[in-house]
Amino acid sequence: MKRIIPLLIPLFCLAMIVPVSGQNKVPAESRRDKEKRAKTDPWAEFEEEVDSIPRWDFGINFGAYFPDKYSSNFYNGDSGNVNNVKYIMSNKYWYQEIKQLLGASDTVFVSGYPLDMHYQVAFTGGLFIRFNFNRKNGIFLEANYTQLKTTGAISLEVDPQSFPTFQDIRTEPIQGKEARVLIDLGYQRSFPLKSKIYFFLQGGGLMCYTQVRKSVFVVEGREYNLVNIYGGQAFIPNTNSQTYHINQNAFGFGTYAGAGAGFPLTDLFGVEPGVTFQYYPVNLERYPRWRPSFSAYLRILLGAGHTGE
């Protein structure tokens, strides 16, 4: 055994040297390949470095929101809605006041409701945060706020006659306002170009919170609140009628998809114009259907810097 050990020592040292010398050749070959690629593609080295660096982005969104009209009929005053004109006309004090405003001597009744109301295009704004795993993949969270308005016209017949004659039809406005908060959580896939500009696709889920801000019937400039703030009790003028805060809101959950382009202006600043498609139910009472909405926006983007630099 004492004779064998001195023979094994040189063999062991040789075995250690061979793998190490073999490993030293790999980086040299990699460097040559990298230099060769850099000559044919000047962006190759840049893309290889950036692709592996995580990054946070923060943004401010602003743009235009195009809501579907379906839930706007929540504000049309129809007797089937929770906020309805019948609630106003059935109160004798308000009814007498409406007759005076219209100059009626006998009777006033509703002859028609607007059945095709729609929201106006609205401004939207919000905040955006994204974590990029690399240059092409990231997850994002954003919250956008918008206020929507809708207006229609109710037909009122004044002093109807029992014999054939021209009808005295008046049209009076009915209005609604609501606020929506849209929260989107999703995945983004980017497609960078050699010019540093990139295109992107987004997809994920969303939550919509809707709050009714106003629902009124207007007669000759006099507003009547269609929300029953008296808790089911009849309104009596010149009395201390107790009022309640009625919070009419709803939550809806749906899906989100978007596309756009990114224009980096500096390492930490850029802009992203884009469009989005949302498909969700607003879920106001009696309006549960899923409907599409759209928005177009410009995002001012601030990068928090590269980690690991």
Side-chain angles (χ1 to χ4, degrees):
M1 180 64 68
K2 293 181 179 179
R3 295 179 180 178
I4 296 175
I5 291 176
L7 296 175
L8 292 177
I9 291 175
L11 293 175
F12 177 77
C13 294
L14 181 62
M16 293 294 293
I17 293 172
V18 171
V20 170
S21 62
Q23 290 176 4
N24 288 338
K25 293 180 181 180
V26 175
E29 293 176 356
S30 299
R31 283 194 297 270
R32 287 196 298 268
D33 292 341
K34 187 180 293 186
E35 291 173 359
K36 184 178 179 180
R37 287 196 304 269
K39 293 179 181 179
T40 57
D41 184 1
W43 286 97
E45 185 174 355
F46 171 77
E47 291 180 354
E48 183 177 343
E49 293 177 357
V50 174
D51 281 349
S52 61
I53 300 176
R55 179 185 178 94
W56 285 96
D57 289 323
F58 301 92
I60 301 174
N61 307 324
F62 58 91
Y65 186 63
F66 304 84
D68 183 79
K69 66 180 183 179
Y70 166 66
S71 60
S72 63
N73 280 335
F74 174 86
Y75 303 96
N76 72 359
D78 183 87
S79 58
N81 288 328
V82 61
N83 301 335
N84 56 75
V85 174
K86 182 180 179 181
Y87 161 68
I88 301 297
M89 301 294 283
S90 61
N91 181 287
K92 63 179 182 180
Y93 302 103
W94 286 331
Y95 177 70
Q96 289 297 327
E97 189 175 74
I98 290 172
K99 285 177 59 178
Q100 293 176 4
L101 290 170
L102 295 174
S105 58
D106 185 20
T107 306
V108 176
F109 69 89
V110 178
S111 60
Y113 296 96
L115 302 178
D116 192 28
M117 294 182 69
H118 60 275
Y119 295 106
Q120 300 174 15
V121 177
F123 172 82
T124 181
L127 301 176
F128 175 88
I129 182 172
R130 180 173 63 220
F131 178 72
N132 303 288
F133 299 105
N134 49 50
R135 199 178 178 206
K136 297 180 180 179
N137 300 282
I139 56 174
F140 66 90
L141 175 69
E142 66 177 331
N144 293 294
Y145 176 83
T146 185
Q147 287 194 7
L148 304 180
K149 298 179 181 180
T150 180
T151 303
I154 287 184
S155 299
L156 299 174
E157 186 169 355
V158 179
D159 292 335
Q161 302 294 328
S162 58
F163 52 88
T165 186
F166 291 105
Q167 295 177 311
D168 185 359
I169 302 294
R170 315 282 182 89
T171 57
E172 300 292 341
I174 190 166
Q175 302 171 352
K177 293 182 180 180
E178 69 183 45
R180 291 188 192 179
V181 177
L182 292 165
I183 300 177
D184 308 317
L185 174 64
Y187 164 78
Q188 176 171 312
R189 173 67 174 179
S190 299
F191 303 91
L193 305 178
K194 292 183 178 181
S195 61
K196 293 188 180 181
I197 296 173
Y198 56 91
F199 297 97
F200 63 83
L201 297 175
Q202 295 178 336
L206 70 83
M207 182 195 76
C208 176
Y209 171 75
T210 303
Q211 184 178 51
V212 176
R213 303 294 300 273
K214 188 176 185 180
S215 181
V216 297
F217 172 44
V218 185
V219 180
E220 299 299 309
R222 167 76 160 87
E223 287 190 358
Y224 294 90
N225 189 2
L226 299 183
V227 180
N228 187 355
I229 61 175
Y230 297 100
Q233 300 178 1
F235 166 75
I236 302 176
N238 302 319
T239 62
N240 294 324
S241 299
Q242 184 176 0
T243 60
Y244 301 88
H245 175 70
I246 306 300
N247 190 15
Q248 296 180 333
N249 55 23
F251 288 89
F253 297 87
T255 59
Y256 166 99
F263 299 88
L265 303 179
T266 69
D267 288 342
L268 297 178
F269 177 76
V271 294
E272 288 184 348
V275 294
T276 62
F277 167 85
Q278 300 107 8
Y279 189 59
Y280 63 95
V282 176
N283 276 338
L284 290 173
E285 188 171 337
R286 289 187 70 230
Y287 296 89
R289 295 179 186 173
W290 289 55
R291 305 294 291 185
S293 295
F294 304 88
S295 62
Y297 65 87
L298 178 67
R299 177 178 298 130
I300 299 175
L301 203 61
L302 301 176
H306 295 289
T307 61
E309 289 187 341

